[in-house]
């Protein structure tokens, strides 16, 4: 590990790709979302804010770095 990696910590939050349980549409959102995220196709709720980390109601397909 280099000295820069020791001094600068990695972020604890990530962008995630979530699949809608109703229509199967995939959407990219933040794992610590502060607003409700709805599916852009069918309008189903995908992410619900919880103060810190958001509650993910859909299926997490990928974690993006």
């Amino acid at each position: 590990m280099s000295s820069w990696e020791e001094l600068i910590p990695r972020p604890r939050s990530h962008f995630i790709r979530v699949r809608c349980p109703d229509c199967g549409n995939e959407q990219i959102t933040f794992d610590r979302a502060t607003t409700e995220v709805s599916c852009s196709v069918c309008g189903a709720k995908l992410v619900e804010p919880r103060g810190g980390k958001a509650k993910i109601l859909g299926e997490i397909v990928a974690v993006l770095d």
Side-chain angles (χ1 to χ4, degrees):
M1 188 176 336
S2 71
S3 62
W4 282 108
E5 291 176 345
E6 291 175 15
L7 295 174
I8 303 171
R10 304 224 6 116
R12 295 182 190 160
S13 54
H14 302 283
F15 285 95
I16 54 175
R17 181 172 293 160
V18 180
R19 180 176 292 138
C20 177
D22 295 341
C23 67
N25 179 43
E26 290 184 2
Q27 202 165 318
I28 296 174
T29 185
F30 197 56
D31 70 346
R32 296 179 189 264
T34 58
T35 58
E36 186 177 290
V37 178
S38 299
C39 178
S40 59
V41 175
C42 68
K45 192 187 309 184
L46 296 177
V47 178
E48 194 174 89
R50 291 288 179 174
K53 265 195 146 174
K55 181 178 181 184
I56 311 299
L57 302 174
E59 176 189 350
I60 298 176
V61 177
V63 177
L64 309 173
D65 290 330

